[in-house]
Amino acid sequence: MAEILVFSEKDEIAFELLSKGRELKEGLGLGLAAALLGQEVEGRSGQYFSYGAEKVYLGESTLLADFYVEIYAQALQRMAEEGGAQILLLGSTKRGKELASRVAQKLGAGCITEAIDLRLEGGGLVADRYALGGNTVASQVIKTERKVIAVMPKTFEALPLEAGKGQTVRLELELPEPRVRVVERRAKEGEAVDIEEAETLVCIGRGLGAEEDLGMIWELAAALGAEVGCTKSPASDYGWLSEERIVGLSGKKCNPRLYLGIGISGQIQHTVGILGSKIIVAINKDPQAPIFKIADYGIVGDLYEVVPRLAERLTTP
Amino acid sequence: MQIVVCLKQIPDLQQIRIKRDSREPVLEGVPLLFGDMDKNALEEAVRIVEKEGGKVTALALGSPKLRDTIKEALAMGADEAVILTDPAFQGSDTVTTAKILAKAIEKIGPYDLILCGEGSTDNYSGQVPSRLAEILGLPQVTYVRQLEFTEGGLRATRDMEEALEIVEVPLPVLVSVTSEINEPRLASMIQILRAAKKPLQEWSAEDLGLSAAEVGKEASSLEIISNLAPEQERKNVTLEGEVDEVVEQLIDALTREGVIAR
Ligand SMILES: Cc1cc2nc3c(=O)[nH]c(=O)nc-3n(C[C@H](O)[C@H](O)[C@H](O)COP(=O)(O)OP(=O)(O)OC[C@H]3O[C@@H](n4cnc5c(N)ncnc54)[C@H](O)[C@@H]3O)c2cc1C
Ligand SMILES: Nc1ncnc2c1ncn2[C@@H]1O[C@H](COP(=O)(O)O)[C@@H](O)[C@H]1O
């Protein structure tokens, strides 16, 4: 039977996709399989069965120890061809995006990356993703017989089954030596923060002049019981905050009850991450800043005057 | 060093208006420009050639407005440019875009390095670089925030979610860059004037040996069912007055909304 084939280099994302795959396969009359790629992967197959995989392809090779997209794409292509996969579901991580595109090209398949929803409509598979930089949401259908879709992490919930079992299929893979070589890996200072879960979110942008000024932002956040998020620059360019805190198109999508944007212009790539907020407050000294157009309450003023005063009033009633 | 830089002409995203009733985007009259990260890719290419010698060719597929848009790439330091503007190309998706760009790159001639943005600023699919590398049979190094040349190849720092990954790869190779790699230069008046004299070629499907059926909307793998702005109902209340007053007003409003505990 033709199948849906799930792969992510992150197990938890694969489990989300398998959970969604269980729903889709009914409507499409397909089987549900997963791919495991790496050096010793068989031990993980049980968990994959418990999320609904009926079949797990095992691709074991020392050449798969590091993630080289060319080699991974080749292995995944082989698995897709073995089981006649019609739909490949991947995680839309950085690696997942490049893998999806490269394997799609190998398979002659159309591909959608950064999908934020997936559903059956009139018997066909429809994927949503942001378009025009976040100005719009495009609903798209892939016309090729084989379809590759990379889905944003946490789009679907991972739902384990009471009991799950299936079949493992070990494939002999003929893989070339990678042309790219990793010579060093420097872990980023990770931070265990989940701003997507925050009920109240204070976000700062380039309007904040210096790293020291973060102090008053943390004070305001403490007064509100809020998490602190940011636009791209304070994390990626200045390194003041970890990249886990970026909100927007390439960062986190947040649905807080209260969002406070401070010194943020409101460019679409940021605001796309806050559309789910119940109340949006903006503090910006430029009355023309686009963020005011999507704000419930706007204060035109200098953040250096407004923020300390607001924090003070919230702590001393 | 022979470098081809792929740049996509996109609408200025800040100037897109949304129709109130239908939530459709209005693209008429919106100026066209090159995407941010594509300019980073071009800047990187120009810096490499300034140091190592060689030539930078800017390559763009899009509407005939490219005849104007491409001048910025030439002014920023590309030595020559190729634009692909055939009406038959209209409605291209990532599959056909990669196909057309690959043909053009082969026609441009021998190359050491192909540079792209990690994603186009409007679509951000990241598909074109990987597809191009696959068609051209090249290794790819994506999400690069630092690039340097070594004996016989290059060393790149990739910006992944959890780590910086430093890789080495021989030439030729396809590299896609992030916005952190550099600060693109603003062209000076003299450079803008000089750009007009730089070689610019315009190729059609026929020039690339492609039939109209192989490119454009018909050959595209995607069908867009709808493309609308998400629904947003906001109050748009501006609080005015002295700092103390607006802070009071804000606290009152947020208390009323039930989003802060008092
Ligand atoms: C493909 C792509 C993906 C991207 N993804 C993201 C993303 O996920 N998240 C993201 O945030 N960005 C993202 N960006 C970047 C985005 O385009 C914008 O550059 C960024 O959001 C702008 O950040 P900002 O509002 O902090 O800075 P600016 O646009 O520079 O705005 C600063 C604001 O601060 C105000 N200000 C200055 N001083 C004061 C003061 N004293 N008091 C009050 N206000 C003051 C100014 O009036 C201005 O409006 C992405 C870009 C691209 C191309
Ligand atoms: N029409 C195009 N013309 C030239 N280069 C393009 C085009 N579309 C995409 N690219 C290149 O591919 C990169 C990624 O685009 P995308 O796959 O749309 O996210 C861009 O940053 C460009 O470098």
Side-chain angles (χ1 to χ4, degrees):
Chain A
M1 179 164 57
E3 57 196 19
I4 300 174
L5 179 62
V6 166
F7 173 78
S8 174
E9 76 283 3
K10 295 233 180 346
D11 287 338
E12 63 273 21
I13 300 176
F15 300 155
E16 294 164 13
L17 299 176
L18 281 170
S19 305
K20 183 67 181 184
R22 296 204 310 257
E23 174 196 321
L24 295 175
K25 78 177 179 129
E26 301 301 334
L28 293 164
L30 297 171
L32 183 59
L36 277 173
L37 300 170
Q39 249 178 323
E40 282 174 27
V41 295
E42 190 167 7
R44 281 149 63 204
S45 55
Q47 259 189 306
Y48 276 69
F49 295 138
S50 74
Y51 281 93
E54 297 153 351
K55 207 194 279 175
V56 169
Y57 295 102
L58 304 175
E60 296 188 330
S61 162
T62 50
L63 292 167
L64 294 167
D66 268 320
F67 187 108
Y68 291 112
V69 63
E70 271 186 84
I71 316 286
Y72 265 60
Q74 202 157 322
L76 203 56
Q77 174 188 21
R78 177 69 209 293
M79 291 173 175
E81 280 167 354
E82 179 78 22
Q86 283 203 350
I87 297 171
L88 271 76
L89 295 182
L90 279 70
S92 198
T93 56
K94 286 187 165 185
R95 296 197 199 281
K97 270 176 85 171
E98 60 169 343
L99 177 61
S101 319
R102 190 132 192 175
V103 82
Q105 185 65 35
K106 280 182 183 290
L107 292 168
C111 172
I112 293 170
T113 55
E114 305 231 317
I116 54 169
D117 190 30
L118 211 53
R119 60 184 177 277
L120 291 176
E121 239 175 64
L125 189 57
V126 178
D128 285 351
R129 75 188 306 282
Y130 286 106
L132 289 174
N135 277 292
T136 56
V137 174
S139 301
Q140 302 176 324
V141 169
I142 302 178
K143 294 192 284 182
T144 50
E145 200 174 326
R146 281 215 168 95
K147 306 169 203 318
V148 180
I149 302 176
V151 181
M152 293 300 282
K154 293 196 185 168
T155 299
F156 305 117
E157 206 180 335
L159 302 163
L161 298 168
E162 303 242 316
K165 55 179 195 298
Q167 172 199 4
T168 52
V169 182
R170 184 178 297 276
L171 290 185
E172 289 307 318
L173 299 170
E174 273 178 46
L175 301 171
E177 284 287 330
R179 291 178 278 186
V180 181
R181 205 164 55 87
V182 174
V183 291
E184 196 188 330
R185 196 167 276 133
R186 272 188 234 139
K188 283 188 188 168
E189 271 178 51
E191 198 185 0
V193 54
D194 202 352
I195 59 166
E196 283 160 304
E197 300 299 316
E199 290 271 305
T200 309
L201 188 63
V202 170
C203 271
I204 57 132
R206 293 205 296 209
L208 201 72
E211 189 170 6
E212 300 84 78
D213 304 336
L214 273 175
M216 66 179 185
I217 301 298
W218 285 110
E219 277 166 33
L220 175 63
L224 285 165
E227 258 307 341
V228 174
C230 59
T231 58
K232 203 151 174 262
S233 292
S236 302
D237 296 333
Y238 316 148
W240 296 348
L241 291 167
S242 79
E243 288 175 4
E244 317 283 313
R245 295 186 186 272
I246 298 176
V247 175
L249 192 62
S250 52
K252 301 282 164 61
K253 315 284 184 299
C254 301
N255 309 301
R257 287 170 51 73
L258 172 61
Y259 163 95
L260 245 109
I262 301 173
I264 291 175
S265 62
Q267 292 190 48
I268 192 78
Q269 290 95 352
H270 174 72
T271 56
V272 70
I274 60 166
L275 295 181
S277 309
K278 178 164 187 269
I279 297 291
I280 293 179
V281 175
I283 303 172
N284 194 307
K285 67 178 181 189
D286 173 8
Q288 302 301 326
I291 194 154
F292 289 123
K293 292 210 188 78
I294 61 145
D296 294 290
Y297 298 98
I299 296 182
V300 178
D302 186 344
L303 70 91
Y304 287 92
E305 290 173 21
V306 178
V307 169
R309 181 78 191 115
L310 183 58
E312 189 189 311
R313 274 291 283 115
L314 287 167
T315 40
T316 53
Chain B
M1 198 65 56
Q2 302 296 315
I3 308 180
V4 179
V5 184
C6 300
L7 302 108
K8 180 177 179 188
Q9 176 183 246
I10 59 162
D12 184 342
L13 300 174
Q14 295 304 322
Q15 298 205 33
I16 294 175
R17 283 184 309 108
I18 301 295
K19 285 191 198 154
R20 226 163 220 281
D21 38 354
S22 64
R23 290 187 284 125
E24 285 168 53
V26 183
L27 291 168
E28 287 88 58
V30 176
L32 296 170
L33 36 80
F34 284 129
D36 298 346
M37 285 175 288
D38 298 3
K39 286 193 206 163
N40 292 113
L42 176 60
E43 174 67 31
E44 198 62 19
V46 172
R47 287 186 194 185
I48 292 167
V49 165
E50 279 169 354
K51 215 164 122 204
E52 316 269 335
K55 190 174 76 186
V56 178
T57 307
L59 174 63
L61 162 68
S63 78
K65 296 245 167 68
L66 267 173
R67 287 168 205 154
D68 214 28
T69 313
I70 197 70
K71 287 179 193 152
E72 185 180 12
L74 290 167
M76 280 177 66
D79 298 291
E80 53 179 56
V82 175
I83 55 175
L84 312 169
T85 51
D86 196 317
F89 294 150
Q90 257 179 37
S92 279
D93 68 344
T94 54
V95 171
T96 45
T97 297
K99 186 193 295 179
I100 300 163
L101 291 176
K103 285 277 187 209
I105 289 170
E106 278 163 0
K107 188 173 158 99
I108 287 169
Y111 52 83
D112 302 295
L113 178 61
I114 296 169
L115 279 170
C116 292
E118 70 162 308
S120 54
T121 306
D122 59 342
N123 198 29
Y124 202 51
S125 86
Q127 285 189 43
V128 171
S130 292
R131 286 186 181 274
L132 256 183
E134 177 65 27
I135 300 172
L136 298 168
L138 295 175
Q140 67 188 71
V141 184
T142 45
Y143 316 112
V144 169
R145 65 177 295 163
Q146 203 185 325
L147 199 57
E148 81 196 77
F149 280 85
T150 57
E151 286 293 295
L154 53 87
R155 172 190 280 258
T157 305
R158 303 182 71 203
D159 198 341
M160 306 311 286
E161 284 100 344
E162 67 297 335
L164 294 178
E165 192 173 274
I166 296 149
V167 302
E168 288 182 350
V169 61
L171 302 174
V173 59
L174 182 142
V175 167
S176 81
V177 305
T178 71
S179 56
E180 286 82 31
I181 194 166
N182 56 40
E183 194 62 50
R185 71 192 67 187
L186 292 173
S188 69
M189 206 53 218
I190 297 182
Q191 286 165 320
I192 293 169
L193 292 174
R194 276 202 202 122
K197 297 200 186 72
K198 290 186 176 176
L200 170 62
Q201 300 195 60
E202 191 166 344
W203 293 341
S204 64
E206 202 186 333
D207 292 328
L208 299 176
L210 289 164
S211 72
E214 288 175 278
V215 295
K217 197 164 190 306
E218 286 311 302
S220 130
S221 64
L222 294 180
E223 191 185 325
I224 298 170
I225 313 179
S226 73
N227 186 26
L228 301 176
E231 264 176 282
Q232 281 290 301
E233 289 286 331
R234 294 290 168 191
K235 299 199 169 73
N236 298 125
V237 177
T238 307
L239 307 177
E240 282 168 285
E242 292 298 313
V243 175
D244 283 355
E245 286 169 55
V246 292
V247 165
E248 289 316 315
Q249 288 174 35
L250 181 63
I251 291 176
D252 283 350
L254 298 183
T255 309
R256 251 183 289 121
E257 298 282 359
V259 292
I260 51 172
R262 297 243 56 218

